[in-house]
Amino acid sequence: TIGPVKKSNAKSAVMNLSQSLEDEESDEIVALRYEELAKELAAKGEYLKAEVHLDKARELYRKIKDRQQEAAVFREMGKMREAQDKVNEAILSYDSASQLSVDVSFKELNTNDANRLRNIASPVSQAPLIQRNIDILNQGNKEENTLERSTALQQMASVNMQMNNKDEALDNLQQALVESKNKPLEVAKVQREIANVYVANNQPEEA
């Protein structure tokens, strides 16, 4: 397997990509570098730039016929488009990830996300889909799934808030905070959401 970039920031990701291109490394490694850079840009909210790099990664994975990695790129696209409230585009991306995936759990994860967005107006319909994804992501408690688990827990918190289950929402966010501990930007985001729940619960002093 190929290791991740050494430093978790966009500058080092750009340097790694440039080095891989200069050294004419394999399509697989170059695709990974494009993907790493895209994730760093997305973490900073630079989604349009991130999508350009994801597209390049996807083209390379398709070229080398790596269906699972191509599916993973479509999932990342889905998450980025969802973050921009491009719901229909996100659904298409999750559906593509599901169709391409050769991994049964990954396929279900994406099908659930596509259906969750199809039921965006119904928190009651979304809740079991999110819970199923949390269950899938908890299998084996894999380190690489921590950010995915954090995202799913935040989605559950949002649904619980819509259903006026504020205590459950806080519990979801506290769990998300634990999952995000090594990701400063994600920690800050979760902490803001926790503060919002306290304010909504008329407990501004806790926020």
Side-chain angles (χ1 to χ4, degrees):
T1 58
I2 303 165
V5 291
K6 292 177 182 176
K7 293 180 181 177
S8 180
N9 59 61
K11 186 176 179 181
S12 63
V14 168
M15 290 172 64
N16 281 328
L17 173 58
S18 298
Q19 191 66 54
S20 291
L21 289 168
E22 188 179 320
D23 294 346
E24 296 183 352
E25 292 187 299
S26 70
D27 287 339
E28 184 182 9
I29 293 176
V30 173
L32 181 79
R33 299 308 181 212
Y34 276 123
E35 203 176 344
E36 292 282 357
L37 177 55
K39 288 177 182 178
E40 294 297 342
L41 291 168
K44 295 165 61 181
E46 297 182 27
Y47 297 114
L48 294 180
K49 286 182 184 177
E51 284 189 32
V52 169
H53 293 298
L54 274 185
D55 254 334
K56 290 178 179 178
R58 182 182 56 77
E59 287 167 7
L60 287 170
Y61 287 133
R62 180 169 291 180
K63 178 183 171 185
I64 61 175
K65 296 181 171 58
D66 190 332
R67 287 173 61 91
Q68 192 56 44
Q69 283 302 115
E70 189 181 353
V73 169
F74 269 115
R75 178 163 182 75
E76 287 301 318
M77 284 182 172
K79 289 190 282 188
M80 288 181 198
R81 286 164 177 170
E82 184 176 353
Q84 299 171 80
D85 293 321
K86 297 178 179 177
V87 175
N88 290 333
E89 289 182 35
I91 290 171
L92 289 173
S93 295
Y94 288 134
D95 278 340
S96 294
S98 179
Q99 289 160 14
L100 275 167
S101 179
V102 294
D103 179 275
V104 175
S105 294
F106 193 82
K107 188 182 287 286
E108 186 180 354
L109 206 63
N110 286 285
T111 297
N112 290 342
D113 274 326
N115 288 334
R116 171 177 58 80
L117 291 181
R118 288 188 179 98
N119 290 279
I120 197 76
S122 172
V124 173
S125 299
Q126 289 182 69
L129 294 166
I130 298 169
Q131 186 57 56
R132 178 58 189 149
N133 276 2
I134 291 171
D135 292 342
I136 292 170
L137 292 164
N138 278 334
Q139 290 170 6
N141 200 31
K142 294 178 183 176
E143 182 69 25
E144 62 264 30
N145 286 338
T146 54
L147 205 52
E148 285 268 23
R149 285 195 291 268
S150 176
T151 299
L153 286 161
Q154 290 172 67
Q155 290 166 353
M156 186 62 91
S158 175
V159 162
N160 273 320
M161 283 298 289
Q162 291 175 60
M163 295 190 292
N164 209 32
N165 299 330
K166 290 171 185 170
D167 288 341
E168 287 88 342
L170 272 176
D171 184 54
N172 297 145
L173 291 172
Q174 293 293 352
Q175 291 178 58
L177 201 57
V178 172
E179 296 288 355
S180 307
K181 61 186 176 185
N182 296 321
K183 300 280 185 181
L185 289 174
E186 191 70 9
V187 166
K189 180 184 167 198
V190 176
Q191 286 174 333
R192 284 195 301 272
E193 291 182 25
I194 289 172
N196 289 339
V197 175
Y198 278 125
V199 169
N201 210 22
N202 294 317
Q203 294 176 275
E205 69 282 356
E206 297 290 341

